[in-house]
Each structure stands twice: as C-alpha cells, then as structure tokens.
Amino acid sequence: MKFIAIITVLICCVSMFRINRESKIAILILGSMLFSLVNVPAVPLHSANMLLPFSFLLSELKNLKNLIKQTRHTIIWNLTGVSIIMVIITIVTSPHLSDVTNIRYFIQYELFFKYFAILYAFWSFGKDENSIKATLKYTFWGIIILTFFGLLNYITKTADFVGTMLAGAETLYAGDTSLDVNESFTYQDRFRVQSMFVNPFDYGYICLLILILHIYGFTQKKEKKLTFYIVVIGSVFGIVTCGCRTILLCAVIGFCVYMLIAYKLKKKIKYGLFMIFICIGSYQFIPAVQETTDKMLSVFEKNSDVGGSSLEMRTIQYAAVMYHIQDSPLFGCGYNYFNIDLGWGQGKEYLKDSRLAGLEGVVMNYLLERGFCGLIFYLIFYISLITFCYRNKQYSRSIAALGLSILTVYICFANMTGELKSVYPTLLIMGYVIKMIYQKRIFQNTKLV
C-alpha cells in the first residue's frame, strides 16, 4: 500500500508538466484529501503535499512572470504581501527560528505550502465557472477512496492506511505513547474514524469542505445527480464518524451561511422550514442523531460528561495564554513555544502548564506564539477575504455563498480545535472563489470594489 501511494504521488508530480492548469489545481486539492501522510524517500521534499505544489511551480516556471503580472492589483497580491510580512515578523521575533535550516523549513511550510495555496489556485482556474469541473471530478474519486478507508477503519477499529504510512511511529494524539498510530482510538471510550489522516478532525473537516464544494457544483449544474449523491453519502459518513462535535457544528453553520447567501428570501424560508422539520424529526426518532446532537450541545455545559472542550475550559486557556505573554504581549513567546518550551511536542504528559490543555484554537495559538501583532495580521488576512466575498456577492450569489461558507467553516473549526491541516485545502478553494469573482466583474465591465 505504501509503495502504491508513493508511486501515485510521483505520477501526479510528473503529470504536472503535461496537463492543463485546471487539472493541476485539481491534483493539489486531491493531494490535500489523500496524501497528507505520504512521504517520498530519497528526495529533498519528502512530504507529498510539499512535492506536489513544488512540481506545480516548476511546471509553471516559464510562465511565472505573466502569472505574477496577472496577480497585481488584485486582493491576492495584497494577501500575499500580508502573509510574507507575517512570516518575516515571526522569524525575527522567534528564538527557535535562529538558524538557517529552521528558517528555511518555516518559510517552506508557512508560505509555499500553506498561504501561497490561494495564489496557485488563482493562477490555475480558468475564465469561467466550468473550470471547477476537473476539481469536482478528482474530488469525487477522492471521497470514494477516503470513504473506503473510513469504512475499513470503522469496521476493524484500526486505521490501516495510517498504520502503513507511519509504520513504527508512536501516537501522541491519544495521550498514550505506547499505542501504534493505527490504534490511537481503538481502545478509547470515544472511538473516532481517522480514514487516511492521523487526526480524525482533519478527516471530518476535509469531508465537510468537499461536500460544500459539491453542493455548489451540483446547484450550478456542474455535475450529475448520481455523482453528487455519492459525494453526499461519503462526506456525511466522514462528518459523522470522525466523532468531532466541532465538525457537526461547523456543518450546521456552514450550510446556513450558504443558504442565506445563495438563495433569495422565499427559498430561504422554504428551505429553512424544511431543514427545521427534518432536524426535529431526526432528533425525535433517530437515536444516533439525538446522541450526536447532545454531544455537540455539551460544549455549553459546565460539568458535561462528554470529553472535549467546553466554554469554561476555553476561558482558562485564554487566561493561561495571557499569563505566558505578559512580558511580550506584542510578539508573544515565539514560534513553536508551545511544542518545545511547554512540552506538548513530547505528549500530553509532558505539558508544563496543564491549563493550556491542547491549546485548541488558532487565536490563542497566535497570541501565545506571535502576540497581538501576529494576530492582527492573521485577522487582516481572513477579514479581507470575507469582506471581498460579501461586497461582491451581487455579481454571483452562488460563488459568494461558496466562499463565505468555506471561510465560516474554517474560522469556526480553527478556533474550536486549532488549524491542524485545514488552511491548505481551504485556500485552494478560495483561490477559485476569488478568481471567479474577478472574472464576473470583468465580464460585467464594472470597476472592482
């Protein structure tokens, strides 16, 4: 299985030099679904999701000047500048980024394989909405593969793909360093399906992201009913079985945002009443739905029996973060402070400040390691995206709905669990949204907002 995965990644890398850009970006998105654990030996960049964008950039090297020119005077150019400034400030103010090797790895991960994803997508998608068809096709097969391994994981209670890709490694996620990675949740009271990810939260998130993308594709008549229904079944399986109440809450919020933006008032009322009826009926007559809903709502209970985060826990975490940055509130304690100085990188039992728990939230992480300065740049990046989509919704309600729902889901997820692997696929899809908004504005010959 490991050999097949490596060969598949290498084929995808080579294909970057022979296929069109719309297929290239589809492969990058597919990679975020399937290849997060695949490492290719004997090459400088081992991670598949680093090799793929690197191959993409190499394949477009001859066109780079024109691509950069296309990006100027757009929000993408400004966002790229914000992310570069954010990275420079972090390097200057972080004690653990003092040598060339660490700085190089940080720049690679933070820029080229994270924030620049929106740039790659903006370059790759074409001049009309049909350019999403390749991505819909690739992600359809991606969901089938994810669901296959998810079902296998659900039946056997072991994550075989994860175990094969990380053979010999030990898990830190479950808090027991004696377990192999494929058994992280086998003996836990709360079993979670991981499918092809170490963290089941990532599995649930990518399923939700792809489901929203296909809802957009189906409603815009970009794919057939059978294809859409298969994606819905596979995605919902992942959203439910990952065992993450945050994902369930994100799904509800994301779908509501999509419906509110995409449809006019009469349809909103009709679909809203229909969803309320379905939700009430499901809660009353389907025990699994009732149990899942109760778990999701337990986040608001002070003394809940359900494991996980609560509002009280978050208050304690933020108080602990403020304590740690009291001597440097502007720039924080530096990148990787939580993993190295506070011991989280070695496992829960080595954490030096138990009040922080898992530091579950991107805002508290930025405050701790990058201070208020880093947090402000982070907020500028995402608020700019939200504002751009909302201001331009009159030119395409469906595209604005896709962008705003994706951003809402990301923000909720990142602040309830932490970013994990959510940024890269989110920004790849947002690149399509931004590109299509610009194309709609150009087509209608109006001045960009």
Short mmCIF file of all heavy atoms in Angstrom, two decimals, residues 166-228:
data_model
loop_
_atom_site.label_atom_id
_atom_site.label_comp_id
_atom_site.label_asym_id
_atom_site.label_seq_id
_atom_site.Cartn_x
_atom_site.Cartn_y
_atom_site.Cartn_z
N LEU A 166 2.77 5.24 8.50
CA LEU A 166 3.61 5.65 9.63
C LEU A 166 4.06 4.45 10.44
O LEU A 166 4.06 4.47 11.67
CB LEU A 166 2.85 6.64 10.53
CG LEU A 166 2.35 7.92 9.86
CD1 LEU A 166 1.56 8.77 10.86
CD2 LEU A 166 3.51 8.74 9.29
N ALA A 167 4.41 3.40 9.77
CA ALA A 167 4.81 2.15 10.44
C ALA A 167 5.96 2.40 11.40
O ALA A 167 6.97 3.01 11.06
CB ALA A 167 5.22 1.12 9.40
N GLY A 168 5.78 1.94 12.65
CA GLY A 168 6.81 2.09 13.67
C GLY A 168 6.70 3.35 14.49
O GLY A 168 7.33 3.47 15.55
N ALA A 169 5.90 4.31 14.04
CA ALA A 169 5.73 5.56 14.80
C ALA A 169 4.80 5.33 15.96
O ALA A 169 4.00 4.40 15.99
CB ALA A 169 5.18 6.65 13.89
N GLU A 170 4.89 6.23 16.95
CA GLU A 170 4.01 6.17 18.10
C GLU A 170 3.08 7.36 18.10
O GLU A 170 3.42 8.43 17.63
CB GLU A 170 4.82 6.15 19.40
CG GLU A 170 5.63 4.88 19.58
CD GLU A 170 6.39 4.89 20.90
OE1 GLU A 170 6.74 6.00 21.36
OE2 GLU A 170 6.63 3.81 21.46
N THR A 171 1.90 7.15 18.65
CA THR A 171 0.92 8.23 18.68
C THR A 171 1.08 9.10 19.91
O THR A 171 1.37 8.60 20.99
CB THR A 171 -0.51 7.68 18.63
OG1 THR A 171 -1.42 8.79 18.65
CG2 THR A 171 -0.84 6.78 19.81
N LEU A 172 0.92 10.39 19.72
CA LEU A 172 0.87 11.33 20.84
C LEU A 172 -0.53 11.88 21.00
O LEU A 172 -0.88 12.43 22.03
CB LEU A 172 1.86 12.49 20.62
CG LEU A 172 3.34 12.12 20.55
CD1 LEU A 172 4.14 13.37 20.25
CD2 LEU A 172 3.80 11.47 21.83
N TYR A 173 -1.33 11.72 19.94
CA TYR A 173 -2.65 12.36 19.94
C TYR A 173 -3.56 11.78 21.02
O TYR A 173 -4.27 12.50 21.69
CB TYR A 173 -3.32 12.20 18.57
CG TYR A 173 -4.64 12.92 18.50
CD1 TYR A 173 -4.67 14.29 18.30
CD2 TYR A 173 -5.83 12.24 18.68
CE1 TYR A 173 -5.86 14.98 18.26
CE2 TYR A 173 -7.03 12.92 18.65
CZ TYR A 173 -7.04 14.28 18.44
OH TYR A 173 -8.23 14.95 18.42
N ALA A 174 -3.56 10.47 21.17
CA ALA A 174 -4.48 9.85 22.13
C ALA A 174 -3.98 9.94 23.56
O ALA A 174 -4.64 9.50 24.49
CB ALA A 174 -4.72 8.39 21.76
N GLY A 175 -2.79 10.51 23.73
CA GLY A 175 -2.27 10.67 25.08
C GLY A 175 -1.62 9.41 25.63
O GLY A 175 -1.32 9.30 26.81
N ASP A 176 -1.39 8.40 24.77
CA ASP A 176 -0.77 7.14 25.19
C ASP A 176 0.34 6.82 24.20
O ASP A 176 0.08 6.36 23.09
CB ASP A 176 -1.81 6.02 25.22
CG ASP A 176 -1.25 4.72 25.80
OD1 ASP A 176 -0.02 4.66 25.98
OD2 ASP A 176 -2.05 3.80 26.06
N THR A 177 1.56 7.03 24.58
CA THR A 177 2.68 6.83 23.67
C THR A 177 3.01 5.36 23.46
O THR A 177 3.91 5.01 22.71
CB THR A 177 3.94 7.55 24.20
OG1 THR A 177 4.20 7.10 25.53
CG2 THR A 177 3.75 9.04 24.21
N SER A 178 2.29 4.43 24.11
CA SER A 178 2.54 3.01 23.94
C SER A 178 1.76 2.43 22.78
O SER A 178 1.99 1.30 22.37
CB SER A 178 2.15 2.26 25.23
OG SER A 178 0.76 2.34 25.46
N LEU A 179 0.80 3.18 22.23
CA LEU A 179 -0.03 2.70 21.13
C LEU A 179 0.56 3.05 19.78
O LEU A 179 1.16 4.10 19.62
CB LEU A 179 -1.44 3.29 21.22
CG LEU A 179 -2.29 2.90 22.43
CD1 LEU A 179 -3.59 3.69 22.40
CD2 LEU A 179 -2.58 1.41 22.47
N ASP A 180 0.40 2.14 18.80
CA ASP A 180 0.76 2.46 17.42
C ASP A 180 -0.25 3.46 16.88
O ASP A 180 -1.40 3.51 17.33
CB ASP A 180 0.78 1.20 16.56
CG ASP A 180 1.96 0.29 16.90
OD1 ASP A 180 2.97 0.81 17.40
OD2 ASP A 180 1.84 -0.93 16.69
N VAL A 181 0.16 4.21 15.84
CA VAL A 181 -0.71 5.26 15.32
C VAL A 181 -2.03 4.73 14.78
O VAL A 181 -3.05 5.41 14.82
CB VAL A 181 0.01 6.06 14.22
CG1 VAL A 181 1.07 6.94 14.80
CG2 VAL A 181 0.59 5.13 13.16
N ASN A 182 -2.03 3.49 14.28
CA ASN A 182 -3.27 2.95 13.73
C ASN A 182 -4.24 2.49 14.82
O ASN A 182 -5.37 2.10 14.53
CB ASN A 182 -2.99 1.80 12.76
CG ASN A 182 -2.33 0.61 13.45
OD1 ASN A 182 -1.48 0.80 14.31
ND2 ASN A 182 -2.72 -0.59 13.08
N GLU A 183 -3.80 2.53 16.09
CA GLU A 183 -4.66 2.12 17.21
C GLU A 183 -4.96 3.28 18.15
O GLU A 183 -5.34 3.08 19.30
CB GLU A 183 -3.99 0.99 17.99
CG GLU A 183 -3.78 -0.29 17.19
CD GLU A 183 -3.09 -1.36 18.00
OE1 GLU A 183 -2.32 -0.99 18.93
OE2 GLU A 183 -3.31 -2.54 17.75
N SER A 184 -4.80 4.50 17.67
CA SER A 184 -4.96 5.68 18.52
C SER A 184 -6.31 5.72 19.23
O SER A 184 -6.42 6.19 20.35
CB SER A 184 -4.77 6.96 17.69
OG SER A 184 -3.47 7.05 17.20
N PHE A 185 -7.36 5.23 18.55
CA PHE A 185 -8.71 5.33 19.12
C PHE A 185 -9.37 3.97 19.30
O PHE A 185 -10.53 3.88 19.66
CB PHE A 185 -9.58 6.23 18.24
CG PHE A 185 -9.04 7.62 18.13
CD1 PHE A 185 -8.26 8.00 17.05
CD2 PHE A 185 -9.28 8.55 19.13
CE1 PHE A 185 -7.74 9.27 16.96
CE2 PHE A 185 -8.76 9.84 19.06
CZ PHE A 185 -7.99 10.19 17.96
N THR A 186 -8.61 2.88 19.08
CA THR A 186 -9.17 1.54 19.18
C THR A 186 -9.69 1.25 20.58
O THR A 186 -10.76 0.66 20.75
CB THR A 186 -8.10 0.49 18.80
OG1 THR A 186 -7.63 0.77 17.48
CG2 THR A 186 -8.69 -0.91 18.83
N TYR A 187 -8.95 1.69 21.57
CA TYR A 187 -9.31 1.38 22.96
C TYR A 187 -9.85 2.59 23.71
O TYR A 187 -9.98 2.56 24.94
CB TYR A 187 -8.09 0.81 23.69
CG TYR A 187 -7.46 -0.35 22.97
CD1 TYR A 187 -6.26 -0.21 22.27
CD2 TYR A 187 -8.10 -1.60 22.96
CE1 TYR A 187 -5.71 -1.27 21.58
CE2 TYR A 187 -7.53 -2.68 22.28
CZ TYR A 187 -6.34 -2.51 21.60
OH TYR A 187 -5.80 -3.56 20.91
N GLN A 188 -10.17 3.64 23.00
CA GLN A 188 -10.71 4.84 23.61
C GLN A 188 -12.23 4.68 23.81
O GLN A 188 -12.91 3.99 23.06
CB GLN A 188 -10.45 6.06 22.74
CG GLN A 188 -8.98 6.36 22.53
CD GLN A 188 -8.28 6.82 23.80
OE1 GLN A 188 -8.74 7.72 24.48
NE2 GLN A 188 -7.18 6.18 24.13
N ASP A 189 -12.76 5.33 24.86
CA ASP A 189 -14.21 5.29 25.10
C ASP A 189 -14.96 5.94 23.94
O ASP A 189 -16.09 5.57 23.63
CB ASP A 189 -14.55 6.02 26.41
CG ASP A 189 -13.97 5.30 27.63
OD1 ASP A 189 -13.80 4.07 27.53
OD2 ASP A 189 -13.69 5.97 28.63
N ARG A 190 -14.35 6.90 23.31
CA ARG A 190 -14.97 7.64 22.22
C ARG A 190 -14.23 7.33 20.93
O ARG A 190 -13.25 7.98 20.57
CB ARG A 190 -14.91 9.13 22.54
CG ARG A 190 -15.85 10.00 21.71
CD ARG A 190 -15.77 11.41 22.27
NE ARG A 190 -16.45 12.38 21.44
CZ ARG A 190 -16.39 13.69 21.64
NH1 ARG A 190 -15.68 14.16 22.66
NH2 ARG A 190 -17.05 14.52 20.86
N PHE A 191 -14.65 6.28 20.22
CA PHE A 191 -13.98 5.85 19.00
C PHE A 191 -14.19 6.87 17.89
O PHE A 191 -15.29 7.37 17.69
CB PHE A 191 -14.50 4.48 18.56
CG PHE A 191 -13.91 4.02 17.26
CD1 PHE A 191 -12.59 3.63 17.18
CD2 PHE A 191 -14.68 4.03 16.09
CE1 PHE A 191 -12.03 3.22 15.97
CE2 PHE A 191 -14.14 3.62 14.89
CZ PHE A 191 -12.81 3.21 14.83
N ARG A 192 -13.14 7.18 17.16
CA ARG A 192 -13.20 8.12 16.06
C ARG A 192 -12.60 7.48 14.82
O ARG A 192 -11.56 6.81 14.90
CB ARG A 192 -12.43 9.41 16.38
CG ARG A 192 -12.84 10.13 17.65
CD ARG A 192 -11.89 11.31 17.86
NE ARG A 192 -12.01 11.92 19.18
CZ ARG A 192 -12.77 12.97 19.46
NH1 ARG A 192 -13.50 13.51 18.50
NH2 ARG A 192 -12.81 13.48 20.67
N VAL A 193 -13.21 7.71 13.67
CA VAL A 193 -12.68 7.22 12.40
C VAL A 193 -11.64 8.21 11.87
O VAL A 193 -11.90 9.40 11.79
CB VAL A 193 -13.81 7.02 11.37
CG1 VAL A 193 -13.24 6.69 10.00
CG2 VAL A 193 -14.76 5.91 11.82
N GLN A 194 -10.46 7.70 11.51
CA GLN A 194 -9.38 8.54 11.01
C GLN A 194 -9.26 8.48 9.49
O GLN A 194 -8.72 9.40 8.87
CB GLN A 194 -8.04 8.08 11.61
CG GLN A 194 -7.96 8.18 13.12
CD GLN A 194 -6.78 7.41 13.66
OE1 GLN A 194 -6.94 6.32 14.20
NE2 GLN A 194 -5.58 7.95 13.50
N SER A 195 -9.67 7.36 8.88
CA SER A 195 -9.55 7.12 7.44
C SER A 195 -8.08 7.24 7.02
O SER A 195 -7.29 6.37 7.35
CB SER A 195 -10.43 8.08 6.65
OG SER A 195 -10.42 7.75 5.28
N MET A 196 -7.68 8.33 6.35
CA MET A 196 -6.32 8.47 5.84
C MET A 196 -5.57 9.61 6.53
O MET A 196 -4.59 10.14 5.99
CB MET A 196 -6.36 8.71 4.33
CG MET A 196 -7.04 7.59 3.57
SD MET A 196 -7.26 7.91 1.80
CE MET A 196 -5.60 7.62 1.20
N PHE A 197 -6.03 9.98 7.73
CA PHE A 197 -5.41 11.08 8.50
C PHE A 197 -5.02 10.59 9.89
O PHE A 197 -5.67 9.72 10.46
CB PHE A 197 -6.38 12.25 8.64
CG PHE A 197 -6.72 12.94 7.36
CD1 PHE A 197 -7.78 12.50 6.57
CD2 PHE A 197 -5.97 14.02 6.92
CE1 PHE A 197 -8.09 13.14 5.38
CE2 PHE A 197 -6.28 14.67 5.73
CZ PHE A 197 -7.34 14.23 4.95
N VAL A 198 -3.97 11.17 10.45
CA VAL A 198 -3.62 10.87 11.84
C VAL A 198 -4.71 11.40 12.76
O VAL A 198 -5.16 10.73 13.68
CB VAL A 198 -2.26 11.50 12.21
CG1 VAL A 198 -2.03 11.42 13.72
CG2 VAL A 198 -1.14 10.78 11.49
N ASN A 199 -5.15 12.62 12.48
CA ASN A 199 -6.16 13.26 13.32
C ASN A 199 -7.54 13.13 12.67
O ASN A 199 -7.74 13.60 11.55
CB ASN A 199 -5.81 14.74 13.51
CG ASN A 199 -6.58 15.38 14.65
OD1 ASN A 199 -7.77 15.15 14.79
ND2 ASN A 199 -5.90 16.17 15.45
N PRO A 200 -8.50 12.51 13.33
CA PRO A 200 -9.85 12.35 12.76
C PRO A 200 -10.55 13.67 12.49
O PRO A 200 -11.43 13.75 11.64
CB PRO A 200 -10.59 11.53 13.82
CG PRO A 200 -9.83 11.75 15.09
CD PRO A 200 -8.41 11.90 14.68
N PHE A 201 -10.15 14.73 13.20
CA PHE A 201 -10.73 16.05 12.96
C PHE A 201 -10.43 16.51 11.53
O PHE A 201 -11.27 17.14 10.88
CB PHE A 201 -10.16 17.07 13.96
CG PHE A 201 -10.65 16.89 15.37
CD1 PHE A 201 -10.77 15.64 15.93
CD2 PHE A 201 -10.98 17.99 16.14
CE1 PHE A 201 -11.21 15.47 17.24
CE2 PHE A 201 -11.42 17.83 17.46
CZ PHE A 201 -11.53 16.57 18.00
N ASP A 202 -9.21 16.19 11.05
CA ASP A 202 -8.85 16.54 9.67
C ASP A 202 -9.71 15.78 8.67
O ASP A 202 -10.09 16.33 7.63
CB ASP A 202 -7.37 16.25 9.42
CG ASP A 202 -6.44 17.25 10.09
OD1 ASP A 202 -6.77 18.45 10.08
OD2 ASP A 202 -5.41 16.84 10.64
N TYR A 203 -10.00 14.54 8.97
CA TYR A 203 -10.86 13.73 8.10
C TYR A 203 -12.25 14.33 8.00
O TYR A 203 -12.79 14.52 6.91
CB TYR A 203 -10.94 12.30 8.65
CG TYR A 203 -11.93 11.40 7.94
CD1 TYR A 203 -12.02 11.38 6.54
CD2 TYR A 203 -12.77 10.56 8.67
CE1 TYR A 203 -12.93 10.54 5.91
CE2 TYR A 203 -13.68 9.72 8.03
CZ TYR A 203 -13.76 9.72 6.65
OH TYR A 203 -14.66 8.91 6.02
N GLY A 204 -12.83 14.68 9.14
CA GLY A 204 -14.16 15.29 9.15
C GLY A 204 -14.17 16.64 8.44
O GLY A 204 -15.11 16.95 7.70
N TYR A 205 -13.11 17.42 8.62
CA TYR A 205 -13.05 18.76 8.02
C TYR A 205 -12.98 18.68 6.50
O TYR A 205 -13.70 19.40 5.80
CB TYR A 205 -11.85 19.54 8.55
CG TYR A 205 -11.76 20.94 7.99
CD1 TYR A 205 -12.50 21.98 8.54
CD2 TYR A 205 -10.95 21.24 6.89
CE1 TYR A 205 -12.45 23.27 8.01
CE2 TYR A 205 -10.89 22.51 6.36
CZ TYR A 205 -11.65 23.52 6.94
OH TYR A 205 -11.59 24.79 6.40
N ILE A 206 -12.13 17.81 5.98
CA ILE A 206 -11.99 17.73 4.52
C ILE A 206 -13.27 17.21 3.89
O ILE A 206 -13.67 17.64 2.80
CB ILE A 206 -10.77 16.86 4.11
CG1 ILE A 206 -10.35 17.16 2.67
CG2 ILE A 206 -11.05 15.38 4.27
CD1 ILE A 206 -9.77 18.53 2.46
N CYS A 207 -13.98 16.31 4.57
CA CYS A 207 -15.26 15.81 4.07
C CYS A 207 -16.28 16.95 4.01
O CYS A 207 -17.04 17.06 3.04
CB CYS A 207 -15.79 14.69 4.96
SG CYS A 207 -14.95 13.11 4.74
N LEU A 208 -16.31 17.79 5.02
CA LEU A 208 -17.24 18.93 5.05
C LEU A 208 -16.90 19.93 3.95
O LEU A 208 -17.79 20.43 3.25
CB LEU A 208 -17.18 19.61 6.42
CG LEU A 208 -18.03 20.87 6.59
CD1 LEU A 208 -19.49 20.63 6.22
CD2 LEU A 208 -17.93 21.38 8.03
N LEU A 209 -15.63 20.21 3.78
CA LEU A 209 -15.18 21.15 2.75
C LEU A 209 -15.59 20.68 1.35
O LEU A 209 -16.13 21.45 0.55
CB LEU A 209 -13.66 21.30 2.83
CG LEU A 209 -13.05 22.67 2.54
CD1 LEU A 209 -13.54 23.71 3.52
CD2 LEU A 209 -11.52 22.58 2.59
N ILE A 210 -15.34 19.40 1.09
CA ILE A 210 -15.65 18.85 -0.24
C ILE A 210 -17.16 18.77 -0.45
O ILE A 210 -17.65 18.97 -1.57
CB ILE A 210 -15.00 17.46 -0.40
CG1 ILE A 210 -13.47 17.58 -0.31
CG2 ILE A 210 -15.41 16.81 -1.71
CD1 ILE A 210 -12.85 18.58 -1.26
N LEU A 211 -17.91 18.52 0.60
CA LEU A 211 -19.37 18.48 0.49
C LEU A 211 -19.91 19.85 0.09
O LEU A 211 -20.77 19.96 -0.81
CB LEU A 211 -19.99 18.04 1.82
CG LEU A 211 -21.53 18.01 1.86
CD1 LEU A 211 -22.10 17.13 0.75
CD2 LEU A 211 -22.02 17.56 3.23
N ILE A 212 -19.42 20.91 0.72
CA ILE A 212 -19.86 22.27 0.37
C ILE A 212 -19.49 22.59 -1.08
O ILE A 212 -20.29 23.17 -1.83
CB ILE A 212 -19.26 23.31 1.33
CG1 ILE A 212 -19.80 23.11 2.74
CG2 ILE A 212 -19.56 24.73 0.86
CD1 ILE A 212 -19.13 23.98 3.80
N LEU A 213 -18.29 22.19 -1.49
CA LEU A 213 -17.85 22.43 -2.87
C LEU A 213 -18.78 21.73 -3.86
O LEU A 213 -19.17 22.31 -4.89
CB LEU A 213 -16.42 21.93 -3.04
CG LEU A 213 -15.82 22.09 -4.45
CD1 LEU A 213 -15.70 23.57 -4.82
CD2 LEU A 213 -14.45 21.41 -4.53
N HIS A 214 -19.19 20.51 -3.55
CA HIS A 214 -20.05 19.75 -4.46
C HIS A 214 -21.50 20.24 -4.40
O HIS A 214 -22.23 20.09 -5.39
CB HIS A 214 -19.94 18.26 -4.17
CG HIS A 214 -18.74 17.62 -4.80
ND1 HIS A 214 -18.78 16.97 -6.00
CD2 HIS A 214 -17.45 17.59 -4.38
CE1 HIS A 214 -17.56 16.53 -6.30
NE2 HIS A 214 -16.74 16.89 -5.32
N ILE A 215 -21.92 20.78 -3.28
CA ILE A 215 -23.25 21.41 -3.23
C ILE A 215 -23.28 22.57 -4.22
O ILE A 215 -24.24 22.74 -4.98
CB ILE A 215 -23.58 21.89 -1.80
CG1 ILE A 215 -23.87 20.69 -0.90
CG2 ILE A 215 -24.78 22.83 -1.81
CD1 ILE A 215 -24.05 21.04 0.56
N TYR A 216 -22.21 23.36 -4.20
CA TYR A 216 -22.10 24.45 -5.17
C TYR A 216 -22.09 23.91 -6.60
O TYR A 216 -22.82 24.39 -7.48
CB TYR A 216 -20.82 25.25 -4.91
CG TYR A 216 -20.37 26.08 -6.08
CD1 TYR A 216 -20.97 27.31 -6.37
CD2 TYR A 216 -19.34 25.62 -6.92
CE1 TYR A 216 -20.57 28.06 -7.47
CE2 TYR A 216 -18.93 26.38 -8.01
CZ TYR A 216 -19.55 27.59 -8.29
OH TYR A 216 -19.15 28.32 -9.37
N GLY A 217 -21.27 22.89 -6.85
CA GLY A 217 -21.17 22.32 -8.19
C GLY A 217 -22.48 21.74 -8.69
O GLY A 217 -22.85 21.93 -9.85
N PHE A 218 -23.20 21.07 -7.80
CA PHE A 218 -24.47 20.45 -8.20
C PHE A 218 -25.54 21.51 -8.46
O PHE A 218 -26.27 21.44 -9.45
CB PHE A 218 -24.94 19.49 -7.11
CG PHE A 218 -26.27 18.86 -7.40
CD1 PHE A 218 -26.42 17.94 -8.43
CD2 PHE A 218 -27.39 19.20 -6.64
CE1 PHE A 218 -27.65 17.35 -8.70
CE2 PHE A 218 -28.63 18.63 -6.91
CZ PHE A 218 -28.76 17.70 -7.94
N THR A 219 -25.64 22.49 -7.58
CA THR A 219 -26.66 23.54 -7.75
C THR A 219 -26.39 24.41 -8.98
O THR A 219 -27.31 25.00 -9.53
CB THR A 219 -26.75 24.44 -6.51
OG1 THR A 219 -25.45 25.00 -6.22
CG2 THR A 219 -27.24 23.65 -5.29
N GLN A 220 -25.12 24.45 -9.40
CA GLN A 220 -24.77 25.20 -10.61
C GLN A 220 -24.70 24.30 -11.85
O GLN A 220 -24.17 24.71 -12.88
CB GLN A 220 -23.43 25.91 -10.40
CG GLN A 220 -23.43 26.92 -9.27
CD GLN A 220 -24.53 27.96 -9.43
OE1 GLN A 220 -24.56 28.68 -10.44
NE2 GLN A 220 -25.41 28.06 -8.45
N LYS A 221 -25.23 23.07 -11.68
CA LYS A 221 -25.33 22.11 -12.81
C LYS A 221 -23.96 21.78 -13.41
O LYS A 221 -23.81 21.66 -14.63
CB LYS A 221 -26.27 22.65 -13.88
CG LYS A 221 -27.70 22.84 -13.40
CD LYS A 221 -28.60 23.38 -14.50
CE LYS A 221 -30.07 23.41 -14.08
NZ LYS A 221 -30.33 24.14 -12.84
N LYS A 222 -22.98 21.59 -12.53
CA LYS A 222 -21.64 21.23 -12.98
C LYS A 222 -21.38 19.73 -12.86
O LYS A 222 -20.34 19.25 -13.32
CB LYS A 222 -20.57 21.97 -12.16
CG LYS A 222 -20.73 23.49 -12.10
CD LYS A 222 -20.67 24.13 -13.46
CE LYS A 222 -20.83 25.65 -13.35
NZ LYS A 222 -20.99 26.28 -14.68
N GLU A 223 -22.30 18.99 -12.21
CA GLU A 223 -22.14 17.55 -12.11
C GLU A 223 -23.50 16.86 -12.04
O GLU A 223 -24.52 17.50 -11.75
CB GLU A 223 -21.29 17.17 -10.90
CG GLU A 223 -21.91 17.46 -9.55
CD GLU A 223 -20.99 17.06 -8.40
OE1 GLU A 223 -19.84 16.65 -8.66
OE2 GLU A 223 -21.43 17.15 -7.26
N LYS A 224 -23.53 15.56 -12.28
CA LYS A 224 -24.77 14.80 -12.33
C LYS A 224 -25.27 14.43 -10.94
O LYS A 224 -24.51 14.44 -9.97
CB LYS A 224 -24.56 13.53 -13.16
CG LYS A 224 -24.20 13.80 -14.61
CD LYS A 224 -23.96 12.51 -15.37
CE LYS A 224 -23.58 12.78 -16.82
NZ LYS A 224 -23.31 11.52 -17.57
N LYS A 225 -26.57 14.08 -10.88
CA LYS A 225 -27.19 13.76 -9.60
C LYS A 225 -26.52 12.58 -8.92
O LYS A 225 -26.23 12.63 -7.71
CB LYS A 225 -28.68 13.43 -9.81
CG LYS A 225 -29.58 14.64 -9.96
CD LYS A 225 -31.03 14.19 -10.01
CE LYS A 225 -31.96 15.42 -10.15
NZ LYS A 225 -33.38 15.01 -10.18
N LEU A 226 -26.26 11.51 -9.65
CA LEU A 226 -25.66 10.31 -9.04
C LEU A 226 -24.31 10.62 -8.43
O LEU A 226 -24.01 10.19 -7.31
CB LEU A 226 -25.52 9.22 -10.10
CG LEU A 226 -24.92 7.89 -9.61
CD1 LEU A 226 -25.77 7.30 -8.49
CD2 LEU A 226 -24.75 6.90 -10.76
N THR A 227 -23.48 11.38 -9.16
CA THR A 227 -22.17 11.79 -8.64
C THR A 227 -22.33 12.57 -7.35
O THR A 227 -21.64 12.31 -6.35
CB THR A 227 -21.44 12.66 -9.68
OG1 THR A 227 -21.29 11.93 -10.88
CG2 THR A 227 -20.07 13.08 -9.16
N PHE A 228 -23.26 13.51 -7.35
CA PHE A 228 -23.49 14.34 -6.17
C PHE A 228 -23.96 13.51 -4.98
O PHE A 228 -23.48 13.68 -3.86
CB PHE A 228 -24.51 15.43 -6.49
CG PHE A 228 -24.89 16.28 -5.31
CD1 PHE A 228 -23.97 17.11 -4.69
CD2 PHE A 228 -26.19 16.24 -4.80
CE1 PHE A 228 -24.33 17.89 -3.60
CE2 PHE A 228 -26.55 17.00 -3.72
CZ PHE A 228 -25.62 17.83 -3.12
#
